[in-house]
Amino acid sequence: MKQIDLNSDLGESYGSWRMGDDAAILPVVSSANVACGFHAGDPAGILATLNAARENGVVAGAHVAYPDLVGFGRRNMDIASDELTADVIYQIGALQALARAAGTEVRYVKPHGALYNTIAHDKRQALAVIHAIKAVDAALPLVVLAGSPLATFAREQGLKVIAEAFADRAYHADGTLVSRREAASVLHDPQQVALRMLQLITEGGLISIEGKFTPIAADSICVHGDSPGAIDMARQLRALLEHNGIIIRAFAAREGE
């Protein structure tokens, strides 16, 4: 039977500033990308998210980022390799300690925002992140944009790679994401989003913004819980997939891993 992981970015509230609805999205997803304090998240909030993830049977991963609280990790940074490696080690380590206190563990790494987009193709920064993961635990899988050069960089360094697709984003015919600066880059129709992801799982691809079928091999689908209607969209997606016999299961919890 076909199975897929659903992941979401969580633990991103900071002090009295709230981001997303962790409590609502956790029953929907199978993996939680938990902020590590560099782009968002405070220790108490991160710990609460990890506790909630454990209670919901959701696997936790480190959502590492550039040191950019003001920009929510969405600003590009030209950071020296050794500094970036140390930053990522620091974030994974901090989350590991909080996860241990919550009775769970960090099972994978997924970069956030500008770091995610940059290392998808920038080999220098990609290797800095890869070296950080290997220094902490070489068995931690790295979540990457499906079809990106980062997948090759990581595999060459011996890391397990998890290819990711985005439920609410439009794709070009070459498999790249349509920039958020362009019209129709983000999809808002829950039924359209659900049907596209069903097609991706059952047919191995989806229709690009150019109108062409585009092959995309994904192990995990990212759904968001921090925008209007996002929770309902995620719920409809899960319901449609399960109705079609697709099992929702964390990639890090599958047999043999």
Side-chain angles (χ1 to χ4, degrees), residues 5 21 37 39 76 98 112 138 141 146 153 167 174 205 212 232 238 244:
D5 173 61
D21 188 344
H39 77 281
N76 293 326
L98 287 165
H112 163 81
F153 302 156
D174 63 358
K212 298 180 179 179
D232 286 338
R238 176 161 186 152
N244 283 271

Side-chain angles (χ1 to χ4, degrees), residues 62-66 77 79-92 109-112 114-120 122-138 140-144 150 153-154 157 159:
H63 202 32
V64 299
Y66 287 134
M77 292 189 172
I79 297 180
S81 296
D82 59 348
E83 183 180 345
L84 181 55
T85 296
D87 282 351
V88 173
I89 291 172
Y90 184 96
Q91 291 176 79
I92 297 172
V109 176
K110 177 186 169 181
H112 163 81
L115 179 61
Y116 182 96
N117 293 328
T118 297
I119 67 173
D122 184 314
K123 189 170 185 178
R124 181 188 68 79
Q125 289 203 32
L127 289 176
V129 172
I130 290 166
H131 292 159
I133 296 170
K134 292 176 67 175
V136 175
D137 183 352
L140 289 173
L142 175 63
V143 177
V144 308
L150 175 58
F153 302 156
Q157 292 294 314
L159 288 187

Side-chain angles (χ1 to χ4, degrees), residues 3-42:
Q3 56 184 341
I4 194 72
D5 173 61
L6 297 182
N7 77 76
S8 189
D9 303 342
L10 304 177
E12 293 182 323
S13 296
Y14 193 86
S16 60
W17 179 80
R18 312 309 295 171
M19 168 62 83
D21 188 344
D22 289 6
I25 197 69
L26 276 168
V28 180
V29 299
S30 46
S31 296
N33 318 314
V34 184
C36 301
F38 269 41
H39 77 281
D42 59 67

Side-chain angles (χ1 to χ4, degrees), residues 73-254:
R74 289 179 174 162
R75 297 183 293 189
N76 293 326
M77 292 189 172
D78 185 19
I79 297 180
S81 296
D82 59 348
E83 183 180 345
L84 181 55
T85 296
D87 282 351
V88 173
I89 291 172
Y90 184 96
Q91 291 176 79
I92 297 172
L95 196 69
Q96 284 178 324
L98 287 165
R100 212 159 28 242
T104 185
E105 61 182 320
V106 175
R107 299 289 298 277
Y108 65 93
V109 176
K110 177 186 169 181
H112 163 81
L115 179 61
Y116 182 96
N117 293 328
T118 297
I119 67 173
H121 57 82
D122 184 314
K123 189 170 185 178
R124 181 188 68 79
Q125 289 203 32
L127 289 176
V129 172
I130 290 166
H131 292 159
I133 296 170
K134 292 176 67 175
V136 175
D137 183 352
L140 289 173
L142 175 63
V143 177
V144 308
L145 180 65
S148 67
L150 175 58
T152 300
F153 302 156
R155 289 192 183 102
E156 287 176 347
Q157 292 294 314
L159 288 187
K160 179 177 177 59
V161 169
I162 302 301
E164 175 183 47
F166 288 83
D168 62 351
R169 294 294 300 278
Y171 282 79
H172 285 298
D174 63 358
T176 61
L177 292 172
V178 176
S179 170
R180 287 182 179 270
R181 293 187 294 270
E182 297 182 31
S185 62
V186 179
L187 309 177
H188 301 285
D189 183 336
Q191 184 177 21
Q192 179 192 18
V193 167
L195 288 172
R196 280 167 60 85
M197 291 302 99
L198 178 62
Q199 180 184 36
L200 180 124
I201 296 167
T202 58
E203 300 179 28
L206 44 72
I207 303 301
S208 70
I209 199 169
E210 292 85 6
K212 298 180 179 179
F213 181 81
T214 302
I216 297 175
D219 307 297
S220 183
I221 295 172
C222 182
V223 296
H224 294 113
D226 58 358
S227 57
I231 301 296
D232 286 338
M233 181 181 292
R235 287 171 176 158
Q236 287 193 43
L237 170 59
R238 176 161 186 152
L240 179 66
L241 296 183
E242 290 183 327
H243 178 74
N244 283 271
I246 296 167
I247 297 171
I248 308 302
R249 190 178 183 195
F251 58 82
R254 295 176 190 169

